[in-house]
Amino acid sequence: MKRRSPTARPITVERIERALDRVAEIIVARDAQGEAWLPLYDYLERAQQDYQAKQDRLAAVRQRAKRSRD
């Protein structure tokens, strides 16, 4: 049995992309039953958008802080 690390792996855009790819494969492979996986796909897409928006905001904050120091 595989043991999980006590610390969760960080969420990255790459991990979200891999999950989206896998869920898309499942949806297509299962044809009509694949529709049941659409809520998960939608969730992952929103998570990807939220993650990217957060990264963009952090970059803007860093730039503002840098400008204020200059």
Side-chain angles (χ1 to χ4, degrees):
M1 174 175 17
K2 264 189 173 179
R3 291 191 177 204
R4 293 198 169 225
S5 169
T7 57
R9 292 183 7 203
I11 294 173
T12 64
V13 72
E14 292 82 13
R15 287 185 64 208
I16 296 170
E17 286 287 335
R18 281 195 308 270
L20 278 165
D21 291 346
R22 182 66 184 123
V23 172
E25 290 170 2
I26 292 168
I27 290 169
V28 170
R30 295 191 179 194
D31 203 25
Q33 291 82 21
E35 290 181 25
W37 289 74
L38 283 174
L40 177 57
Y41 190 87
D42 293 340
Y43 171 82
L44 290 167
E45 275 193 325
R46 281 191 307 277
Q48 178 188 35
Q49 292 165 356
D50 291 348
Y51 181 85
Q52 190 59 54
K54 177 182 172 186
Q55 296 306 308
D56 293 346
R57 285 192 315 273
L58 286 170
V61 166
R62 288 184 191 104
Q63 281 208 303
R64 178 176 291 275
K66 184 180 183 296
R67 280 193 315 267
S68 73
R69 286 190 303 259
D70 293 343

